[in-house]
Amino acid sequence: MFGKTLLFSAALLAAGSMSAAAETELTVYTAFEAEFLDRYAAAFNKDHPDIKINWVRDSTGVVTAKLLAEKNNPKADVVWSLAASSLLMLKAEGMLEPYAPKGIEALDPRYVDSDTPPTWVGLDAWLGAICYNTVEGKKRGVPQPTSWADLTKPEYAGQIVMPNPASSGTGFLDVSAWLQMFGGDGWDYMDKLHANIASYTHSGSKPCKMAAAGETVVGISFAFRGAKSKTDGAPIEVIIPSEGTGWDLEAAAIIAGTPNLDAAKTLMDWSISLAAMEQYNVGYAVLAIPGVAKPVPNYPADAEAKMIRNDFEWAATNRKSILEEWSKRYDTKSEPKS
C-alpha cells in the first residue's frame, strides 16, 4: 500500500442514521495511519451524522505533493492530519482558509499557527525514536544504541532501516532535527549514518514494524509505533536518543475555496474537541490539549523532555532544498515505490 493513494468512504458505521438528502460530503486529505480512519469517522459521525467523510489517505510527503500540485484546482475540503511543517508550506502558497475552531483556547500555544485567526491547528505530536530488536541484536552482535551517534558505528553496518524523508513525515522530522541539532555537521552525520543503512522505506511506521518482526535490528521510526509493538509482544526496546529527538505535529486546516465551508468548520471544531483527543490518545501519547492524555503502555518516560526546540518555519521554508540534497546523496538505498 506504500506510495499508493487510498480512497476511503468512511462513516459507514453511522450510515444508518444519516439522511441522504441532508448529507454533506467532505473530501478529507490525511496522513493518519489507515487503521485509524474508520474509527475517527465513526466518532465524528456520532456528533455530526449529517456530514460524510471521504478520505484520501497517503504518507505525508505524497499528500503534501498532491495538495501542492492541485493548488489551482483544489480537490480537498479539509486536511485532517498532516505535518505542521507541510501545512506551513501550504500556508505560504495561500492555500489555507483562516479559521479559529471552537475551543482553541484550550490548546497548547505551540500547537496553533501564529496568525490571528490561525490557518492551522495542531492535534497531537509524534516523536522520532529508535526501535531495537533485542533478540536479533544479541544474535547478530549488535548492541543496543543509546544515541544517534551510536548508529554511525561499524557494528551497525547494514542493520538499520529508516524512512525516506521525501515520502514520510517521520523521515523528514528526523532529518530536520539532525540539521537543527548538529548544525553544519548534520549532513556529515547523515553521510556516516547512510553507510550503515540497509534501506529507506516510504512509511514512517514500517521501520519499527520491521524491527518488531525481526527483519532488521534497528528501525528509526516514531515512539508510539514502538510502544504499540512492544505492548503487542514484540522483543523490542523503544529508545529516545540522548541528544534529543525531532518531532512534528499532526495538524488540521481548511483548504481555501472549499464550497463546503460550514461543514469544514464543523469538522475543524470537532478535531480539537475532547472527544477527538480521546480518539487520538489511542494512537498518540502527546496531545494538543495539555493534561488530558492517558499514559500509553511502554511509551518512553523521558520522551517529552527530549523533544528538541523545533523551528517549524525553518523546516517548512527549507523543506524543498533539504529533500533535494537528501535525495541526491542517499536515494539509491530507497525501497521501490509500489
Side-chain angles (χ1 to χ4, degrees):
M1 61 176 268
F2 304 112
K4 183 178 180 181
T5 300
L6 303 180
L7 301 178
F8 294 81
S9 181
L12 296 178
L13 298 178
S17 62
M18 290 193 213
S19 165
E23 185 179 280
T24 298
E25 295 194 17
L26 287 177
T27 298
V28 178
Y29 283 24
T30 188
F32 277 135
E33 292 283 303
E35 64 199 80
F36 300 155
L37 300 185
D38 285 347
R39 176 165 56 82
Y40 287 178
F44 171 69
N45 284 134
K46 281 185 179 180
D47 297 325
H48 302 285
D50 56 329
I51 300 173
K52 178 183 178 182
I53 293 175
N54 293 318
W55 297 107
V56 177
R57 192 271 163 196
D58 215 309
S59 58
T60 299
V62 175
V63 173
T64 303
K66 184 174 176 63
L67 285 161
L68 289 169
E70 295 172 355
K71 175 184 175 181
N72 296 323
N73 186 25
K75 308 294 185 185
D77 296 299
V78 174
V79 179
W80 186 14
S81 176
L82 193 65
S85 52
S86 290
L87 288 180
L88 281 162
M89 293 178 65
L90 303 184
K91 174 185 173 181
E93 296 293 328
M95 296 173 61
L96 303 182
E97 178 75 26
Y99 178 61
K102 294 175 184 176
I104 194 171
E105 63 279 355
L107 302 186
D108 183 323
R110 294 179 300 169
Y111 287 53
V112 181
D113 177 38
S114 58
D115 284 0
T116 303
T119 58
W120 58 267
V121 292
L123 314 173
D124 51 62
W126 83 103
L127 286 62
I130 296 170
C131 297
Y132 170 80
N133 187 299
T134 56
V135 173
E136 288 300 313
K138 184 176 181 179
K139 186 188 302 182
R140 304 186 199 183
V142 180
Q144 180 173 314
T146 62
S147 65
W148 293 120
D150 283 347
L151 300 184
T152 65
K153 294 177 179 178
E155 54 264 41
Y156 291 90
Q159 308 295 338
I160 305 170
V161 174
M162 77 162 279
N164 180 319
S167 48
S168 162
T170 303
F172 183 71
L173 72 82
D174 288 324
V175 171
S176 171
W178 294 330
L179 292 171
Q180 291 183 62
M181 286 191 295
F182 304 145
D185 294 329
W187 290 111
D188 181 60
Y189 171 75
M190 284 183 270
D191 285 346
K192 294 173 182 175
L193 178 66
H194 177 69
N196 287 346
I197 293 285
S199 68
Y200 298 102
T201 68
H202 297 294
S203 159
S205 60
K206 188 175 180 180
C208 194
K209 291 177 180 178
M210 291 176 66
E215 296 171 10
T216 187
V217 177
V218 174
I220 298 175
S221 188
F222 56 95
F224 186 87
R225 173 54 60 183
K228 184 178 187 301
S229 295
K230 186 171 182 178
T231 300
D232 290 344
I236 63 171
E237 292 297 327
V238 188
I239 301 150
I240 304 296
S242 58
E243 302 96 332
T245 193
W247 57 284
D248 207 335
L249 301 174
E250 291 203 312
I254 299 172
I255 297 298
T258 171
N260 300 305
L261 184 58
D262 287 344
K265 288 181 176 180
T266 297
L267 178 56
M268 288 290 290
D269 292 345
W270 192 89
S271 76
I272 63 166
S273 67
L274 286 172
M277 295 293 148
E278 183 179 300
Q279 293 298 319
Y280 306 147
N281 200 190
V282 177
Y284 296 89
V286 182
L287 303 179
I289 299 179
V292 303
K294 295 178 181 178
V296 172
N298 293 309
Y299 196 84
D302 59 347
E304 286 194 67
K306 289 186 176 177
M307 291 166 65
I308 68 165
R309 185 184 294 274
N310 204 345
D311 189 338
F312 290 118
E313 294 279 359
W314 176 87
T317 301
N318 292 284
R319 185 176 187 275
K320 186 174 184 288
S321 61
I322 289 170
L323 293 179
E324 286 176 351
E325 182 66 18
W326 187 93
S327 296
K328 182 174 69 175
R329 289 173 180 249
Y330 314 125
D331 206 26
T332 54
K333 287 189 178 180
S334 292
E335 66 180 6
K337 290 186 178 181
S338 57

